[in-house]
Amino acid sequence: QVQLQEAGPGLVKPSQTLSLTCTVSGGSVNSGGYYWTWIRQHPAKGLEWIGYIYHSGSTYYNPSLKSRLTMSIDTSKNQFSLNLSSMTAADTAVYYCAREVRDYSGSGSDYYIDFWGQGTLVTVSS
Amino acid sequence: DIQMTQSPSSLSASVGDRVTITCRASQGIRSDLGWYQQKPGKAPKRLIYAAYILGSGVPSRFSGSGSGTEFTLTISSLQPEDFATYYCLQHNSFPRTFGQGTKVEIK
């Protein structure tokens, strides 16, 4: 059973950079076919897709966050990370790491998110 | 970006009711759509992927249909554990985008 666990500060000051790490157990971040993903949820709101990093290090960032976002992957530690700079109160949210699967089927590929971390609340406040 | 419009935003239903939630994509996404269930304080859980394929361990009262721009999640007989918020997510292109969510409440 794959498990993901977020770690990082629960409180960040405005203008600072948020750094979160997701540690994966029961599976390898170095395996192909998986997009290691970050998703956030503002308080009492819906889900917002932040971006992904692939085992090769290739990334895709949500254009709405791209200028402030950096993701990295550490295969030796089986972790991937998110850095979000210039934090404001609008970035207060629960941040989830997740694994999106590319499942090669007979007619092409099916995609789905099969495992999520429990989520970590990040509050931006001075 | 592909916009996902989900309706209704909330609904009240009784145990045993048939419930239908709809998701509409702003452009065609083939069958690249998943449905996820979220309970308070928990991470979402996969229910359906590829529009109609039931995830592992998901009860058969859940079903999905649709392709292109119109998709439906149906719960054939609502159970107490199904009261939750449901989201669609398009997996057709990046950035991925979610519907706004549908909160299913007890009537």
Side-chain angles (χ1 to χ4, degrees), chain A residues 41 60 96 100 112-113 116, chain B residues 36 38 44 46 91 94 96:
Chain A
Q41 186 167 34
Y60 187 99
Y96 294 99
E100 179 172 338
Y112 50 83
I113 297 175
W116 300 68
Chain B
Y36 297 82
Q38 187 179 34
R46 178 190 64 167
H91 292 272
F94 294 105
R96 303 302 197 217

Side-chain angles (χ1 to χ4, degrees), chain A residues 35 39 41 45-49 52 60-64 96 100 103 109-114 116-119, chain B residues 1 30 32-33 36 38 41-46 48-50 53 87 89 91 94-100:
Chain A
Y35 299 92
I39 290 164
Q41 186 167 34
K45 298 290 186 183
L47 298 159
E48 178 183 20
W49 188 87
Y52 79 76
Y60 187 99
Y61 301 153
N62 192 319
S64 66
Y96 294 99
E100 179 172 338
D103 191 356
S109 296
D110 296 326
Y111 297 84
Y112 50 83
I113 297 175
D114 60 351
W116 300 68
Q118 66 185 22
Chain B
D1 300 2
R30 304 183 307 181
D32 299 331
L33 185 107
Y36 297 82
Q38 187 179 34
K42 300 292 187 182
K45 170 192 166 185
R46 178 190 64 167
I48 302 278
Y49 67 99
I53 300 176
Y87 294 92
L89 169 62
H91 292 272
F94 294 105
R96 303 302 197 217
T97 43
F98 289 91
Q100 302 93 321

Side-chain angles (χ1 to χ4, degrees), chain B residues 82-104:
Chain B
D82 300 337
F83 292 95
T85 301
Y86 295 83
Y87 294 92
C88 62
L89 169 62
Q90 65 83 14
H91 292 272
N92 179 261
S93 65
F94 294 105
R96 303 302 197 217
T97 43
F98 289 91
Q100 302 93 321
T102 296
K103 186 173 185 179
V104 177

Side-chain angles (χ1 to χ4, degrees), chain B residues 54-67:
Chain B
L54 208 60
S56 175
V58 176
S60 59
R61 61 181 180 274
F62 291 94
S63 63
S65 64
S67 68

Side-chain angles (χ1 to χ4, degrees), chain A residues 29-36 52-60 71-73 75 80 100 102 104:
Chain A
V29 299
N30 207 21
S31 299
Y34 301 118
Y35 299 92
W36 301 100
Y52 79 76
I53 186 163
Y54 205 56
H55 69 93
S56 60
S58 64
T59 56
Y60 187 99
M71 294 185 186
S72 59
I73 194 163
T75 56
F80 61 104
E100 179 172 338
R102 181 178 184 177
Y104 294 91

Side-chain angles (χ1 to χ4, degrees), chain B residues 3-97:
Chain B
Q3 306 302 314
M4 304 302 297
T5 303
Q6 192 174 332
S7 61
S9 56
S10 65
L11 64 90
S12 294
S14 301
V15 173
D17 283 355
R18 181 182 182 90
V19 168
T20 299
I21 299 167
T22 298
C23 209
R24 179 179 292 114
S26 60
Q27 64 190 69
I29 59 170
R30 304 183 307 181
S31 296
D32 299 331
L33 185 107
W35 290 97
Y36 297 82
Q37 177 194 66
Q38 187 179 34
K39 295 184 178 179
K42 300 292 187 182
K45 170 192 166 185
R46 178 190 64 167
L47 296 176
I48 302 278
Y49 67 99
Y52 68 91
I53 300 176
L54 208 60
S56 175
V58 176
S60 59
R61 61 181 180 274
F62 291 94
S63 63
S65 64
S67 68
T69 61
E70 295 278 341
F71 300 87
T72 299
L73 172 70
T74 299
I75 309 172
S76 60
S77 178
L78 199 65
Q79 298 302 299
E81 60 268 31
D82 300 337
F83 292 95
T85 301
Y86 295 83
Y87 294 92
C88 62
L89 169 62
Q90 65 83 14
H91 292 272
N92 179 261
S93 65
F94 294 105
R96 303 302 197 217
T97 43

